[in-house]
Amino acid sequence: MRGDVQVEGLADLQTHVVELSTAFEGSLREHLALIGEGLASAMQDNILSEGRSLADRGIVWPELHWLTQRIRQHYGHTGGKLVRGGDLLHSIRVLRTTDDSVEVGSRLPYAAAVHFGGPHTDPRTGQTRNVQAFPFAVPSLEVLDDMAELLLDLVVPNDGGAAG
């Protein structure tokens, strides 16, 4: 399953990357890989913090369904809302990097259903159920600022703090 996430502020970041790729001599691949790693880390942080890092964007994760809570309690699962075995958490990575783009996400078939919510059919059982949305693939405003700074450093290299 694949889903595309549109993030306010990310379009501006993407525009800056495209502008840089035409003005910058050489490949941006290495720099985009760094940005991708930062975004992957931010998504993992969102999972570990149960979405609290997204409060600056007005995103609040719901409580787990009461039945899910009971099942987890019964089996002794004490991880966060999206952490049981850690499969989703550890699946988030840079998927592909080119000279002018970076793709970050998860190849797990249920990752998009967890992020967006809605109906999801378990491929093993064929059973369909409605999944709550836990948007984890959204960078915080702080992360977007950090990515923009990284791009700015490409255009205006840091001179080590020397006053001019």
Side-chain angles (χ1 to χ4, degrees), residues 13 38-39 42 56 139-148:
L13 186 62
L39 290 171
D56 64 353
S140 68
L141 295 177
E142 181 181 356
V143 169
L144 287 175
D145 286 346
D146 290 347
M147 299 301 117

Side-chain angles (χ1 to χ4, degrees), residues 91-114:
S91 73
I92 297 170
R93 59 179 41 93
V94 174
L95 301 174
R96 186 172 59 96
T97 306
T98 68
D99 289 340
D100 62 359
S101 69
V102 62
E103 183 179 348
V104 179
S106 170
R107 296 211 189 279
L108 289 178
Y110 59 84
V114 171

